[in-house]
Amino acid sequence: MREAKRKPWRGRRLTAVLIAVATTVGLIGTTIGTGEASAAVGKTYWTDSCGMPTNGAFGNKSMAPGKVKVRIWSKPGNRRTVIMLDGMRAEYGTSGWEQQTNIQRLADRGVNVVEPIGGPASFYTNWDAPSNFNGQQRTYKWGCVITRLATNLRKGTGGVPKLATKNGKFAIMGISSGGNAALTHAAQRRDLFYAAASLSGYNYLTAPGMRTMLRVAMLDVAPAPWNVDSMWGPPWSPRWPQNDPFMLINRMHGLKLYIGSGNGLFGKYNYPQNVGDDLFKGTPLEILALTQALAFEGGARLQGLNPMTYYANGTHAWGYWQDMVWNAHRRGFFN
């Protein structure tokens, strides 16, 4: 078969230029018209700190006096809102969710995203006293902050906008120590939350040896060291079971639950430059989280609950938690 007659070079060059220009214009129109311009943009708000440290836990200047920073992504027409809790190494500038993941894009898929900022080693709970090991000046009151934030988001008061709810209630999710906190908040305030998710969380805090493990872990969280006894008191204090998701399962009937964990094995988000941390910190933490997730799931099913679950390869790392959030979204967790 004869080769088709080729066009002269100048004609081909002009055609290529015209196609390139048209394509570029089309891409620009797509980006501006339906992409970035229409995407939800994060905004910063300040909400009451419930008497917590007035300028950051340790003089951190990113917090306003008497206020906690909150980042929010929302769009008109969205019908759900999720409060996302950080982990034990939370910082005061931005949430790890914003630093390390793309889950803010949930706001472009019908779910507003709310991220409270700060609270390292706080477990997002009300502490009994300041941590006397590291010179904390005032007692953590994160339980109050989260409750008040959700209450204000329903009304559009207290320095935050009014956001969409499901019958006046929100979803709440967290990673690591924020995961068990999400379950606890939802169980204790059924009037504020319809769904709760724990991603690599510690869902059976009163299990044998858990208090000791948490004690050791909190000694390493900046600004170290934290005294776990300042949180809920000594091991025999009733506040430990009161804040243990496993002990609150009987108060979770009717809640939509999602429990996720990796198995400690390396996966697609373990990078060569992080092998040391992933192996000696991420793997042990995730194996612990897996045992806690399985224990909680077993207890929940024995009591007639049917939580969504997600188990996969992975260590204690943000990429895996991002995948869990999108998995929850695809499976209708926020509906």
Side-chain angles (χ1 to χ4, degrees):
M1 182 179 294
R2 290 181 62 185
E3 187 181 70
K5 186 176 181 180
R6 297 179 181 177
K7 296 180 181 179
W9 165 240
R10 287 183 180 179
R12 286 188 289 124
R13 183 171 61 182
L14 177 61
T15 301
V17 169
L18 291 174
I19 291 173
V21 170
T23 302
T24 301
V25 171
L27 288 175
I28 291 174
T30 300
T31 301
I32 295 176
T34 60
E36 294 177 2
S38 65
V41 177
K43 296 182 179 180
T44 299
Y45 299 89
W46 298 90
T47 193
D48 185 71
S49 70
C50 294
M52 284 198 307
T54 58
N55 200 27
F58 298 86
N60 188 292
K61 302 301 181 182
S62 66
M63 286 183 71
K67 300 291 183 179
V68 169
K69 183 193 293 185
V70 181
R71 293 275 289 158
I72 295 177
W73 290 258
S74 63
K75 289 183 72 173
N78 285 357
R79 302 181 62 186
R80 299 288 185 267
T81 299
V82 59
I83 297 175
M84 305 295 297
L85 302 183
D86 210 329
M88 196 175 291
R89 300 180 188 276
E91 300 176 4
Y92 282 97
T94 54
S95 169
W97 287 112
E98 183 173 2
Q99 293 180 33
Q100 305 289 340
T101 78
N102 65 8
I103 62 94
Q104 291 71 221
R105 295 179 186 172
L106 283 170
D108 296 316
R109 292 166 173 79
V111 183
N112 301 318
V113 178
V114 178
E115 296 176 6
I117 310 300
S122 71
F123 280 70
Y124 293 97
T125 188
N126 293 335
W127 283 42
D128 286 351
S131 174
N132 57 333
F133 285 2
N134 56 1
Q136 188 182 24
Q137 296 299 307
R138 297 193 185 184
T139 306
Y140 267 150
K141 294 296 179 185
W142 274 100
C144 172
V145 170
I146 299 303
T147 298
R148 188 168 294 179
L149 174 61
T151 302
N152 288 333
L153 288 169
R154 290 199 301 192
K155 305 174 183 177
T157 57
V160 294
K162 182 178 181 179
L163 294 182
T165 65
K166 179 180 180 179
N167 300 321
K169 301 179 182 182
F170 301 97
I172 186 169
M173 307 180 85
I175 58 102
S176 193
S177 61
N180 44 273
L183 295 178
T184 299
H185 278 290
Q188 294 177 342
R189 292 304 304 260
R190 296 295 301 276
D191 59 317
L192 293 176
F193 301 104
Y194 73 93
S198 175
L199 315 180
S200 303
Y202 307 119
N203 307 327
Y204 190 6
L205 294 172
T206 57
M210 272 303 294
R211 294 182 182 89
T212 299
M213 292 180 188
L214 293 182
R215 181 184 303 280
V216 173
M218 290 171 69
L219 294 175
D220 185 50
V221 178
W226 293 85
N227 181 6
V228 72
D229 290 333
S230 298
M231 184 167 66
W232 296 320
W236 52 87
S237 168
R239 293 207 64 209
W240 280 89
Q242 289 168 4
N243 288 280
D244 181 355
F246 189 88
M247 304 302 289
L248 299 175
I249 290 174
N250 63 338
R251 299 174 63 175
M252 297 184 188
H253 289 275
L255 273 176
K256 186 173 289 188
L257 299 173
Y258 185 99
I259 307 299
S261 176
N263 56 14
L265 299 178
F266 278 27
K268 61 182 178 179
Y269 296 113
N270 295 104
Y271 307 111
Q273 63 268 31
N274 297 326
V275 167
D277 276 350
D278 287 349
L279 181 61
F280 295 107
K281 293 182 180 180
T283 289
L285 284 172
E286 200 63 11
I287 291 173
L288 175 61
L290 176 61
T291 63
Q292 294 269 297
L294 292 171
F296 179 87
E297 180 193 355
R301 295 195 187 283
L302 282 174
Q303 294 197 42
L305 280 69
N306 186 31
M308 295 181 182
T309 58
Y310 178 97
Y311 302 114
N313 279 0
T315 59
H316 216 64
W318 283 102
Y320 303 109
W321 298 323
Q322 174 181 283
D323 284 355
M324 292 180 200
V325 173
W326 289 114
N327 175 267
H329 177 264
R330 288 192 298 271
R331 293 166 65 184
F333 172 76
F334 299 105
N335 294 346

